[in-house]
Each structure stands twice: as C-alpha cells, then as structure tokens.
Amino acid sequence: MDTAVPLDNRDTLDHIPAGTRARIAQIQGGKLLTRRLLALGLRVGSEILVVQQRRRGVVVASAGCRVALGGTIAEKLLMQPLDS
C-alpha cells in the first residue's frame, strides 16, 4: 500500500535532524506496516516532532505521545519538513 500526500522536498525519517517538525508524506510499505503505524497514531498527514535520532532509529512525538521507531521503519517513511 503506497499512500501519498503530494509534497515536494521529501526525505526519509531517518535523515530528519532532531528538533525538526515534519509531516508524514508517504509510507513506503505494505498494509501491515501501515496498520502498525496507525495503531501508534501515525498516518499519512500526521505532524510529528523528531525528538531524538539514535543511530538509524528515531524517537518522535505526535499528539502528545512519544514513539520510538527502528531504522527499518524510519527509512520507509517519507517526510515533508515543516517551516515554523
């Protein structure tokens, strides 16, 4: 399942620096990954704050919750950095 929001200047989550606000533009994974992220409150269009980069993994905050994602998942999330 390759759902997308048409946005420019995308980069994968594992390349977004800590302290950056971004929006999930595309999930490059199947239904299982999309469902797993949905259960964590993350979907295409969700705004997140990158709290911490840990090697390839990343900790993000979204809607008052913090979620740690491994590098395999982080590299499948295309992000649109937000100007603010």
Side-chain angles (χ1 to χ4, degrees):
M1 184 171 187
D2 196 17
T3 55
V5 172
L7 298 169
D8 295 350
N9 193 26
R10 297 183 207 180
D11 205 356
T12 57
L13 180 57
D14 59 331
H15 290 101
I16 303 290
T20 303
R21 296 192 80 65
R23 178 177 291 120
I24 299 174
Q26 184 176 4
I27 299 171
Q28 297 179 317
K31 285 184 181 182
L32 291 177
L33 176 59
T34 302
R35 287 181 186 164
R36 172 185 263 170
L37 292 170
L38 185 59
L40 295 171
L42 302 173
R43 62 181 56 86
V44 171
S46 293
E47 292 186 15
I48 59 105
L49 170 66
V50 178
V51 176
Q52 185 177 31
Q53 286 285 356
R54 299 182 57 99
R55 296 184 193 162
R56 287 185 42 224
V58 62
V59 177
V60 300
S62 176
C65 297
R66 287 186 180 201
V67 178
L69 301 171
T72 303
I73 292 176
E75 69 188 10
K76 292 181 181 179
L77 298 179
L78 285 178
M79 306 300 296
Q80 172 66 43
L82 300 175
D83 297 327
S84 55

